[in-house]
Short mmCIF file of all heavy atoms in Angstrom, two decimals:
data_model
loop_
_atom_site.label_atom_id
_atom_site.label_comp_id
_atom_site.label_asym_id
_atom_site.label_seq_id
_atom_site.Cartn_x
_atom_site.Cartn_y
_atom_site.Cartn_z
N SER A 110 10.92 40.92 -7.24
CA SER A 110 11.74 40.38 -8.33
C SER A 110 11.83 41.39 -9.47
O SER A 110 10.86 42.09 -9.75
CB SER A 110 11.10 39.09 -8.86
OG SER A 110 11.06 38.09 -7.85
N PHE A 111 12.97 41.36 -10.12
CA PHE A 111 13.19 42.15 -11.32
C PHE A 111 13.72 41.22 -12.43
O PHE A 111 14.72 40.51 -12.20
CB PHE A 111 14.17 43.31 -11.10
CG PHE A 111 14.52 44.09 -12.31
CD1 PHE A 111 13.54 44.84 -12.95
CD2 PHE A 111 15.77 44.05 -12.85
CE1 PHE A 111 13.83 45.56 -14.10
CE2 PHE A 111 16.10 44.77 -14.01
CZ PHE A 111 15.09 45.53 -14.62
N ILE A 112 13.05 41.16 -13.55
CA ILE A 112 13.46 40.32 -14.67
C ILE A 112 13.90 41.26 -15.81
O ILE A 112 13.15 42.11 -16.26
CB ILE A 112 12.33 39.43 -15.14
CG1 ILE A 112 11.85 38.54 -14.01
CG2 ILE A 112 12.75 38.59 -16.33
CD1 ILE A 112 10.57 37.77 -14.30
N LYS A 113 15.14 41.05 -16.26
CA LYS A 113 15.73 41.88 -17.31
C LYS A 113 16.14 41.01 -18.48
O LYS A 113 16.90 40.05 -18.32
CB LYS A 113 17.00 42.64 -16.77
CG LYS A 113 17.77 43.39 -17.80
CD LYS A 113 17.04 44.61 -18.21
CE LYS A 113 17.87 45.38 -19.25
NZ LYS A 113 17.08 46.24 -20.06
N THR A 114 15.57 41.27 -19.65
CA THR A 114 15.98 40.57 -20.86
C THR A 114 17.19 41.26 -21.43
O THR A 114 17.19 42.48 -21.59
CB THR A 114 14.82 40.58 -21.88
OG1 THR A 114 13.68 39.98 -21.29
CG2 THR A 114 15.20 39.81 -23.13
N LEU A 115 18.22 40.48 -21.74
CA LEU A 115 19.46 41.07 -22.26
C LEU A 115 19.34 41.33 -23.76
O LEU A 115 18.38 40.88 -24.42
CB LEU A 115 20.63 40.16 -21.90
CG LEU A 115 20.81 39.94 -20.41
CD1 LEU A 115 21.94 38.98 -20.13
CD2 LEU A 115 20.97 41.22 -19.63
N LYS A 116 20.27 42.03 -24.34
CA LYS A 116 20.14 42.55 -25.68
C LYS A 116 19.83 41.52 -26.76
O LYS A 116 19.08 41.79 -27.67
CB LYS A 116 21.37 43.37 -26.04
CG LYS A 116 21.48 44.62 -25.25
CD LYS A 116 22.58 45.51 -25.72
CE LYS A 116 22.62 46.77 -24.86
NZ LYS A 116 23.44 47.79 -25.41
N ASN A 117 20.44 40.37 -26.72
CA ASN A 117 20.24 39.42 -27.81
C ASN A 117 18.96 38.58 -27.64
O ASN A 117 18.68 37.68 -28.44
CB ASN A 117 21.45 38.50 -27.96
CG ASN A 117 21.71 37.64 -26.75
OD1 ASN A 117 20.90 37.62 -25.81
ND2 ASN A 117 22.82 36.95 -26.73
N ASN A 118 18.18 38.81 -26.60
CA ASN A 118 16.92 38.13 -26.31
C ASN A 118 17.05 36.62 -26.02
O ASN A 118 16.06 35.96 -25.83
CB ASN A 118 15.88 38.34 -27.43
CG ASN A 118 15.35 39.74 -27.44
OD1 ASN A 118 15.36 40.42 -26.44
ND2 ASN A 118 14.94 40.18 -28.59
N LYS A 119 18.26 36.08 -26.03
CA LYS A 119 18.47 34.67 -25.67
C LYS A 119 18.71 34.54 -24.17
O LYS A 119 18.43 33.50 -23.60
CB LYS A 119 19.62 34.05 -26.47
CG LYS A 119 19.28 33.71 -27.89
CD LYS A 119 20.34 32.84 -28.48
CE LYS A 119 19.90 32.33 -29.82
NZ LYS A 119 19.22 31.06 -29.76
N TRP A 120 19.23 35.55 -23.56
CA TRP A 120 19.55 35.55 -22.12
C TRP A 120 18.63 36.52 -21.38
O TRP A 120 18.30 37.59 -21.85
CB TRP A 120 20.99 35.96 -21.89
CG TRP A 120 22.01 34.96 -22.31
CD1 TRP A 120 22.63 34.87 -23.51
CD2 TRP A 120 22.51 33.90 -21.52
NE1 TRP A 120 23.51 33.84 -23.51
CE2 TRP A 120 23.46 33.20 -22.29
CE3 TRP A 120 22.28 33.46 -20.18
CZ2 TRP A 120 24.15 32.10 -21.82
CZ3 TRP A 120 22.98 32.38 -19.73
CH2 TRP A 120 23.89 31.69 -20.53
N SER A 121 18.29 36.12 -20.16
CA SER A 121 17.62 37.05 -19.24
C SER A 121 18.11 36.76 -17.85
O SER A 121 18.64 35.67 -17.57
CB SER A 121 16.08 36.92 -19.31
OG SER A 121 15.67 35.68 -18.85
N ILE A 122 17.98 37.71 -16.97
CA ILE A 122 18.40 37.56 -15.61
C ILE A 122 17.26 37.97 -14.67
O ILE A 122 16.60 38.98 -14.95
CB ILE A 122 19.71 38.33 -15.32
CG1 ILE A 122 20.21 38.04 -13.89
CG2 ILE A 122 19.51 39.82 -15.55
CD1 ILE A 122 21.63 38.54 -13.67
N GLN A 123 17.05 37.21 -13.64
CA GLN A 123 16.04 37.53 -12.64
C GLN A 123 16.76 37.69 -11.28
O GLN A 123 17.49 36.80 -10.86
CB GLN A 123 15.00 36.46 -12.51
CG GLN A 123 14.01 36.69 -11.37
CD GLN A 123 13.08 35.54 -11.15
OE1 GLN A 123 12.89 34.69 -11.99
NE2 GLN A 123 12.48 35.51 -9.97
#
Side-chain angles (χ1 to χ4, degrees):
S110 298
F111 176 66
I112 301 171
K113 173 72 178 157
T114 302
L115 302 178
K116 291 189 180 192
N117 62 7
N118 288 334
K119 283 193 171 269
W120 287 93
S121 67
I122 186 167
Q123 174 187 341

